[in-house]
Amino acid sequence: MAKPFEFNIKKLYADLRPSEQKVADYYLGYAGQLEELSLVPMAKAAGVSQPTVMSRPPNFFPPKEPDPMTAVLGCIADDFTGGTDLAETLSRNGMRTIQLLGVPDTALASEAAAQADALVVALKIRTVPVEEAVSQALAALEALRAAGCRQFFWKYCSTFDSTPKGNIGPVAEALLQALGGDRAVVCPSFPENKRTVYQGYLFVGDRLLHETSMRSHPLTPMTDANLIRLMDAQSSRKSGLVPLETVREGVEAVKARMDELAAQG
């Protein structure tokens, strides 16, 4: 027996764009598996972009009531712009994402978590005193954990805006301690905005960070592109490098290198 969404698709089919018709064809061909299909393989199989899959007509399917406590990923951003970039990136890649401004109370965070796969808390702590930055970040973490998030991401600027006092390092260290972790990955790459990391050095386009206008930033002048030196200056923990050749060897090689660095302290 045909499901209600199949009738909806057939009714709408003639009015769909060609790319949307490809998605519709795929839905109709795999009607019994739709609950198991994820964004990336669906887009690949249908021969369309991921945004096309995400922008399917909403009346393909009847609305569903959100399940409580569904958010998995909790993100803490050091400013609104960075939080927005992150939320947009997550949403574009298939995660239901809600952005909250400032530290939310538990009720608000829980309400948002019931409707999302990811929550992004956008703070304004990039250049505030270290103690205040750490305090707000930990409060945001507490709210996200209370809302049911199980994985956490600290979103700082892709040009690593900071000083020898922080705030990237101290906040990362405080979050790591609160979560009971023994290591954190620091990689401010954002290729879409031409921020890349090579052998521990941060590039903006084809220029090292300290060769850009960030060198003269009035609040966070970036005079060094070496992320290890930058982190060591603002953290009590030691930093190490996972080189490109190790990354190219795959996941197990990266894990082994991280274990080796952890053993070295």
Side-chain angles (χ1 to χ4, degrees):
M1 178 181 294
K3 297 182 179 181
F5 80 83
E6 293 180 65
F7 291 112
N8 289 341
I9 292 176
K10 291 174 181 177
K11 182 179 178 180
L12 295 167
Y13 194 93
D15 295 324
L16 300 178
R17 300 193 309 269
S19 59
E20 291 174 339
Q21 288 180 349
K22 289 184 178 181
V23 178
D25 291 339
Y26 192 71
Y27 284 159
L28 293 172
Y30 292 84
Q33 304 175 33
L34 284 177
E35 294 296 327
E36 302 173 6
L37 295 174
S38 60
L39 175 66
V40 175
M42 187 185 299
K44 184 176 181 180
V48 299
S49 66
Q50 294 176 32
T52 298
V53 174
M54 293 175 63
S55 64
R56 65 183 184 272
N59 45 355
F60 268 20
F61 307 107
K64 293 182 178 180
E65 290 296 324
D67 295 325
M69 306 296 280
T70 55
V72 173
L73 180 63
C75 308
I76 301 169
D78 66 355
D79 79 340
F80 175 74
T81 303
T84 301
D85 284 342
L86 177 58
E88 180 184 8
T89 299
L90 293 172
S91 179
R92 196 168 63 233
N93 285 276
M95 297 190 78
R96 299 174 301 156
T97 306
I98 294 177
Q99 181 173 354
L100 304 170
L101 304 184
V103 177
D105 59 37
T106 300
L108 177 60
S110 297
E111 180 182 354
Q115 305 171 59
D117 303 308
L119 299 183
V120 177
V121 175
L123 304 176
K124 193 174 181 181
I125 59 173
R126 184 170 296 174
T127 57
V128 302
V130 172
E131 295 78 10
E132 183 179 346
V134 168
S135 176
Q136 287 194 43
L138 290 176
L141 175 63
E142 182 178 357
L144 291 170
R145 294 179 81 174
C149 294
R150 302 185 294 280
Q151 297 177 349
F152 302 92
F153 183 76
W154 164 223
K155 168 65 176 75
Y156 43 81
C157 186
S158 60
T159 50
F160 216 73
D161 297 15
S162 57
T163 72
K165 293 183 178 180
N167 290 333
I168 294 174
V171 171
E173 196 168 339
L175 293 173
L176 189 63
Q177 181 176 353
L179 290 167
D182 64 350
R183 70 193 71 172
V185 176
V186 176
C187 187
S189 291
F190 193 2
E192 187 174 322
N193 285 356
K194 298 183 178 180
R195 270 66 156 171
T196 56
V197 174
Y198 175 68
Q199 302 296 58
Y201 286 85
L202 179 55
F203 286 78
V204 178
D206 60 356
R207 301 171 65 188
L208 287 162
L209 175 64
H210 65 278
E211 296 175 351
T212 70
S213 60
M214 286 301 300
R215 183 181 186 89
S216 303
H217 193 286
L219 298 177
T220 55
M222 303 307 297
T223 59
D224 194 354
N226 187 292
L227 292 169
I228 294 176
R229 287 196 293 263
L230 290 171
M231 280 299 295
D232 282 348
Q234 55 185 281
S235 174
S236 64
R237 298 187 181 227
K238 186 178 180 182
S239 301
L241 175 67
V242 179
L244 179 60
E245 53 267 26
T246 301
V247 175
R248 285 175 170 165
E249 290 175 9
V251 174
E252 294 305 319
V254 171
K255 287 182 178 178
R257 175 57 178 164
M258 292 178 68
D259 287 342
E260 178 186 352
L261 290 171
Q264 295 173 2

